[in-house]
């Protein structure tokens, strides 16, 4: 009797081992098919061009974000469009002495990073195509050494997360005129200050594919979902 029970448990264990992964695979497959039909949209239209098919409406031309060259937390010069070519970019703005939104924003970026942890043994996989970028809005104070200490204080994994500093006017122009963040007018001068909780998602071709409230958990999860979707996107002409 004991032997029969043991055999029964063994057979049940085999069935579970086979059916559970199979059911998970089927669910994921169906979700993937559904998600491919719901890719993140493009933001900031700049005009139209004639469609090659004259029976169709003109194609919309969307803003393509220009390059930005700044210094990371290790003192290395980084070009967002060249050094990080082929990567998705998740960008936020912060400053190290911020007592209000920045610590929570950094914490939520850290949650995002944990979802896409870089593994050097898996080159080309999901976790190696995402780069997290935090740009200081107070570069006069936030040297690369200060930012590295800030990142270490928050327990950040440096592998695929850069904290960047540089010329204030260049940074503020990028936020306003390249990422089109709703931060109001300004010239990047001494009295100018932008302070936003927005996270921006750029695709591999540097088109804006999403804006997210970095203090809202639901919005942060949506950002993570959109990152996954963009890794499945096939290249096509804009």
């Amino acid at each position: 009797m004991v032997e029969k029970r043991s055999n029964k448990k063994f057979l049940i264990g085999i069935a579970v081992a086979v059916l559970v992964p199979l059911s998970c695979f089927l669910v994921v497959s169906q979700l993937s098919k559904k998600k491919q039909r719901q890719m993140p949209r493009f933001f900031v239209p700049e005009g139209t061009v004639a469609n090659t098919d004259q029976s169709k409406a003109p194609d919309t031309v969307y803003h393509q974000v220009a390059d930005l060259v700044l210094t990371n937390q290790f003192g290395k010069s980084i070009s967002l469009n060249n050094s990080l070519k082929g990567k998705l970019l998740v960008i936020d703005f912060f400053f190290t002495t911020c007592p209000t939104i920045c610590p929570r924003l950094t914490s939520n970026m850290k949650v995002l990073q944990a979802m896409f942890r870089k593994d050097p043994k898996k080159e080309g996989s999901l976790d190696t195509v995402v780069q997290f970028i935090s740009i200081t809005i107070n570069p006069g104070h936030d040297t690369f050494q200060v930012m590295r200490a800030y990142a270490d204080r928050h327990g950040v994994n440096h592998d695929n997360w850069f904290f960047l500093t540089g010329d204030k006017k260049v940074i503020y122009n990028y936020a306003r005129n390249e990422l089109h963040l709703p931060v109001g007018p300004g010239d990047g001068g001494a009295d100018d200050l932008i302070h936003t909780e927005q996270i921006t998602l750029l695709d591999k071709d540097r088109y804006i594919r999403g804006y997210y409230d970095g203090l809202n958990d639901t919005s942060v999860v949506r950002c993570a979902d959109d990152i996954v979707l963009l890794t499945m996107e096939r290249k096509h002409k804009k």
Side-chain angles (χ1 to χ4, degrees):
M1 180 68 71
V2 173
E3 185 177 352
K4 287 184 178 179
R5 287 179 182 174
S6 298
N7 289 338
K8 186 176 181 180
K9 288 181 180 179
F10 176 76
L11 292 174
I12 291 173
I14 292 293
V16 170
V18 172
L19 292 176
V20 170
L22 177 61
S23 62
C24 289
F25 171 78
L26 293 174
V27 170
V28 171
S29 296
Q30 289 303 312
L31 284 175
S32 296
K33 290 177 182 177
K34 182 179 179 182
K35 285 181 177 181
Q36 284 180 328
R37 297 193 298 267
Q38 300 174 344
M39 285 294 171
R41 69 184 182 90
F42 291 83
F43 287 79
V44 192
E46 293 189 330
T48 59
V49 294
N51 197 306
T52 53
D53 184 345
Q54 295 183 356
S55 66
K56 294 182 179 180
D59 288 328
T60 302
V61 176
Y62 290 93
H63 175 65
Q64 196 168 20
V65 177
D67 194 19
L68 177 68
V69 180
L70 295 172
T71 302
N72 73 3
Q73 68 267 38
F74 299 102
K76 181 180 179 181
S77 179
I78 299 295
S79 161
L80 295 192
N81 290 2
N82 294 317
S83 306
L84 304 175
K85 185 176 181 180
K87 292 181 179 289
L88 304 176
L89 302 185
V90 182
I91 303 173
D92 77 338
F93 291 83
F94 82 111
F95 61 106
T96 60
T97 55
C98 172
T100 55
I101 70 173
C102 297
R104 186 176 169 193
L105 181 58
T106 298
S107 178
N108 282 344
M109 284 280 282
K110 185 178 174 183
V111 169
L112 277 174
Q113 187 195 36
M115 297 179 187
F116 304 97
R117 184 170 299 154
K118 183 175 180 180
D119 185 347
K121 296 179 181 178
K122 298 179 180 179
E123 193 62 40
S125 62
L126 181 63
D127 51 12
T128 63
V129 299
V130 184
Q131 182 74 29
F132 296 88
I133 302 291
S134 291
I135 303 174
T136 179
I137 59 171
N138 186 18
H141 173 272
D142 292 342
T143 62
F144 76 86
Q145 297 96 332
V146 169
M147 293 193 306
R148 181 168 181 179
Y150 173 88
D152 288 340
R153 198 159 60 246
H154 284 268
V156 164
N157 180 346
H158 296 279
D159 286 345
N160 63 336
W161 190 346
F162 287 155
F163 289 76
L164 301 178
T165 188
D167 183 86
K168 183 178 179 180
K169 287 183 180 291
V170 171
I171 290 172
Y172 278 49
N173 176 71
Y174 187 78
R176 287 189 169 102
N177 301 316
E178 293 301 329
L179 299 187
H180 290 268
L181 294 175
V183 293
D187 61 0
D191 297 325
D192 193 6
L193 179 66
I194 61 174
H195 201 195
T196 176
E197 71 278 7
Q198 290 281 343
I199 292 174
T200 307
L201 175 61
L202 303 186
D203 67 17
K204 295 178 181 181
D205 297 313
R206 299 303 175 257
Y207 290 99
I208 300 170
R209 304 301 294 274
Y211 294 107
Y212 313 89
D213 182 345
L215 305 183
N216 181 283
D217 293 342
T218 301
S219 189
V220 171
V221 169
R222 182 166 58 86
C223 179
D225 192 47
D226 285 350
I227 291 170
V228 174
L229 293 175
L230 288 179
T231 65
M232 298 188 293
E233 183 175 54
R234 292 181 180 179
K235 227 175 174 180
H236 61 281
K237 191 175 180 180
K238 310 298 182 294

